[in-house]
Amino acid sequence: MELDFRGTPIDQYREYLAAIGGQEQPDGSFAGPGWAVTLTESEYRVFGMVMPRVLMQFTGDPPAVEAAVAALRLRSMRAGG
């Protein structure tokens, strides 16, 4: 499963992944119970601004991946204002 997050720096997602049970690996990926994820940092431009973009590729046991993604989405949810 691939996720594309925009507007939040990669370090914030590292904290979220650790909070949901992931352990950072030597290569910068994370592994949790039944799942693993690789993070790719990039950027995108909007209205002349450069914003952070983080691509995540999850692999592993489908129910474990779905649970990890659901927990990550709750952690990364932002309220409008």
Side-chain angles (χ1 to χ4, degrees):
M1 175 182 295
E2 186 171 289
L3 301 178
D4 183 348
F5 291 100
R6 299 175 184 207
T8 304
I10 196 169
D11 290 337
Q12 188 68 57
Y13 289 108
R14 287 185 177 115
E15 290 179 23
Y16 294 156
L17 290 165
I20 65 168
Q23 297 290 317
E24 190 164 8
Q25 305 300 301
D27 65 357
S29 65
F30 278 77
W35 58 269
V37 61
T38 57
L39 291 84
T40 305
E41 184 176 25
S42 67
E43 58 186 36
Y44 73 102
R45 296 181 185 275
V46 60
F47 302 115
M49 296 183 301
V50 178
M51 304 294 286
R53 179 180 183 193
V54 179
L55 300 170
M56 296 186 197
Q57 182 67 47
F58 279 85
T59 58
D61 180 47
V65 168
E66 289 176 19
V69 167
L72 179 64
R73 287 183 190 217
L74 281 176
R75 290 264 176 191
S76 63
M77 189 181 318
R78 300 284 183 260

